[in-house]
Amino acid sequence: MIDPHTPVLVGVGQAVDPWAGGAVANAPSPIGMAVRGGTAALDDTGVAGMAAAIDRVVVIRTMADSLSSGGGPFGRCANPPGTVAARLGISGAAHVYSVTGGDQPQALVAEAAALVHGGAARAVLIASGEATAAAKLAIRAGIALDWADSADGDFEDRGTGAMLLTPYEIANGLGMPVTTYPVFEHALRARRGFDRAAWRARMAAVLAPMSDVAAGNPYSQFPAARSADFLATESADNYAVADPYLKWHVAQDAVNQGAAVVVTTVGEATARGIDPAKFVFLHGHAELADAPVMQRPDLSRSRVFEGAVALALAASGRTAAEMAQLDLYSCFPCAVELGAEALGIDPVVRATTVTGGLPFFGGPGNSYSLHAIATMVERLRDEPGAYGLVLANGGFLSKAAVGVYSASPPEDWQPVSSADAQRDLHATDLPAPLSGDGEGVVESYTMTMTKGQASVAAVIARTPAGRMLARVKPEDLGELQARDPVGALVALRSHEGRNIVAAIGAAATGRRG
């Protein structure tokens, strides 16, 4: 007998739109994609009138609202959760607009599970929608779209959250994801002992099987299999965006995608006549946040991935080896590698995605992992005794949320607290990074590419006094592009509030690439 208070996912839905600039009336919008996902999720429960049971509607923050209060060139919906609820025919529900972060889909499922388990909610709909592809196309074509339609009413707006990069980090060369993730990628590459060419081949070997999954997924935005040879080779269709990344190594945000899940209790689902074959349970979960990039003790590892995976597995009473299905966040190859390390698997050998991943399925802003959870539910319904794990990532490996799922019910579900693990994690933070003059050894670096040439770069160096981030002078970019600087001696100077690499010396490790 399953405890009727046990939380359960009973409905999932996804939508994708290939709009290519036809009739404006057919152009997708973020709200429209969330409504399509929500409609599919409610229908997936298999019972009429499920909307009447929903007393909490949560919408994942769009990227436009994460980056700008203006919401983009086509206006913004002033009340996303209220508008989604109204279009779905849901009345009288609490409305929540999430904080920024790719960890949010999994974190919000765990939150919903705790709320319904404790009786604070009856049934929760979590929805998301992005239409960045439509926005980019409309801007290029001069098409005017109107995304400002909004329902009235109050809602809980959790805002964009804390800054994920410090003023020091921004001033000295970190910034957008494609500028920041290379410092993790190169640190990991150096720890593993790869040169740059060999690591590019490794990244391609990790990513190619993911594209195969995307090619067979009807909700993929880019459903084409791409070979390891294609992915490892710079070309007009796979151009360099940042060392070591080519275009198809990174999350593709030009998508029109929506998703939703419905979370309730076994008791409510049974009372409404939902078929138990629809049930998938959250067995364990964890959420952790890391320190700013420059205060993490080892840039080649992810403390939050390792800690959240371990805690979620422990809470579920299962091991990594028992996870038949995986979806590891894949915004950049190092995220897949570090998630795989946390599980003790090789991502070249073991499948790491159920969707196809952010480069190939698509990278719908903060909401990718809601698609992963929806797909995981569908897969586990077909494998009733199997377990699956979803690892969601926010920011710059800044926030991790992990969930363990199965169609088999847990014996005694309880929410999981990550507070002790969070406290222990911060006990190993490094001191604040340095400014000033000195010498150090390059620990990692970032180099953005424009038309095949380095356009901006920065290094992270270890000095006798601590860690320092410094920009590379324009005249030295060619040298950085020509050889692997990890392990090189550098002279560092501070000038007008910024750290500068004054000179790049010999590579202490002898690495070249």
Side-chain angles (χ1 to χ4, degrees):
M1 178 71 178
I2 305 173
D3 184 338
H5 299 100
T6 302
V8 61
L9 285 76
V10 295
V12 298
Q14 298 182 72
V16 62
D17 196 312
W19 187 70
V24 173
N26 295 331
S29 68
I31 292 297
M33 295 309 299
V35 170
R36 287 169 64 177
T39 299
L42 291 170
D43 289 347
D44 183 58
T45 65
V47 298
M50 189 63 198
I54 305 295
D55 58 359
R56 186 177 180 87
V57 174
V58 183
V59 170
I60 295 170
R61 198 171 205 87
T62 65
M63 283 309 297
D65 284 350
S66 297
L67 299 173
S68 167
S69 59
F74 306 120
R76 67 179 297 272
C77 176
N79 180 355
T83 306
V84 169
R87 292 193 186 180
L88 291 174
I90 297 170
S91 61
H95 300 148
V96 179
Y97 197 33
S98 85
V99 72
T100 299
D103 60 308
Q104 283 303 287
Q106 175 55 46
L108 289 167
V109 168
E111 178 185 283
L115 288 171
V116 299
H117 176 261
R122 181 174 60 239
V124 181
L125 176 84
I126 304 168
S128 68
E130 292 283 357
T132 306
K136 290 182 175 182
L137 191 157
I139 291 169
R140 289 195 304 269
I143 298 172
L145 303 177
D146 182 5
W147 290 354
D149 181 56
S150 181
D152 295 328
D154 296 331
F155 68 102
E156 179 188 346
D157 187 345
R158 296 182 176 178
T160 56
M163 288 288 290
L164 297 176
L165 292 174
T166 67
Y168 172 99
E169 291 167 343
I170 295 169
N172 290 298
L174 301 187
M176 296 297 288
V178 77
T179 303
T180 303
Y181 271 85
V183 304
F184 310 125
E185 199 78 53
H186 285 302
L188 175 60
R189 172 181 65 80
R191 173 163 65 82
R192 297 269 188 91
F194 284 74
D195 65 21
R196 293 194 289 193
W199 192 253
R200 178 170 286 182
R202 167 78 183 185
M203 292 190 299
V206 170
L207 294 170
M210 297 171 64
S211 77
D212 293 339
V213 176
N217 186 338
Y219 301 111
S220 292
Q221 196 78 50
F222 312 101
R226 293 170 171 85
S227 71
D229 285 345
F230 170 82
L231 291 169
T233 305
E234 187 172 349
S235 66
D237 293 328
N238 196 32
Y239 49 85
V241 294
D243 182 16
Y245 302 132
L246 304 179
K247 173 187 175 180
W248 290 104
H249 297 169
V250 308
Q252 303 296 315
D253 69 349
V255 302
N256 305 313
Q257 291 174 316
V261 302
V262 176
V263 183
T264 188
T265 61
V266 168
E268 182 68 24
T270 301
R272 292 196 170 265
I274 297 175
D275 185 347
K278 295 284 188 180
F279 293 4
V280 170
F281 301 90
L282 177 66
H283 278 247
H285 65 90
E287 301 80 37
L288 290 174
D290 214 333
V293 172
M294 291 296 291
Q295 290 182 260
R296 299 177 195 173
D298 186 346
L299 296 176
S300 78
R301 299 184 183 276
S302 172
R303 298 184 294 177
V304 292
F305 282 16
E306 293 169 5
V309 165
L311 188 57
L313 286 172
S316 71
R318 299 291 165 177
T319 67
E322 293 178 273
M323 298 300 107
Q325 303 286 346
L326 299 172
D327 198 273
L328 308 183
Y329 208 81
S330 52
C331 51
F332 295 88
C334 61
V336 182
E337 292 275 10
L338 293 172
E341 273 197 350
L343 288 160
I345 63 170
D346 182 349
V348 173
V349 176
R350 174 71 194 276
T352 59
T353 181
V354 294
T355 66
L358 285 93
F360 311 114
F361 169 83
N366 300 315
S367 61
Y368 164 77
S369 289
L370 198 63
H371 293 268
I373 293 167
T375 308
M376 184 67 75
V377 166
E378 292 174 338
R379 289 213 179 181
L380 294 174
R381 285 172 177 170
D382 293 336
E383 299 181 65
Y387 289 79
L389 181 144
V390 173
L391 191 163
N393 164 50
F396 308 99
L397 306 180
S398 308
K399 302 183 291 180
V402 176
V404 176
Y405 295 88
S406 179
S408 297
E411 292 183 4
D412 180 23
W413 193 91
Q414 295 295 328
V416 181
S417 172
S418 303
D420 289 345
Q422 185 67 68
R423 183 186 62 250
D424 293 344
L425 182 148
H426 284 307
T428 60
D429 289 354
L430 293 183
L434 305 173
S435 292
D437 298 348
E439 293 185 343
V441 176
V442 175
E443 180 181 0
S444 192
Y445 70 99
T446 175
M447 180 166 58
T448 302
M449 310 296 290
T450 303
K451 296 183 178 179
Q453 298 299 313
S455 54
V456 64
V459 305
I460 296 174
R462 289 277 194 168
T463 77
R467 185 184 269 162
M468 189 168 176
L469 173 65
R471 292 178 179 266
V472 176
K473 294 181 295 184
E475 58 266 33
D476 292 334
L477 291 173
E479 181 179 0
L480 199 72
Q481 188 172 354
R483 66 168 172 120
D484 183 357
V486 175
L489 300 172
V490 287
L492 305 164
R493 303 287 182 266
S494 288
H495 178 68
E496 297 181 351
R498 291 183 175 182
N499 299 326
I500 303 295
V501 177
I504 304 173
T509 62
R511 263 191 303 268
R512 290 290 188 272

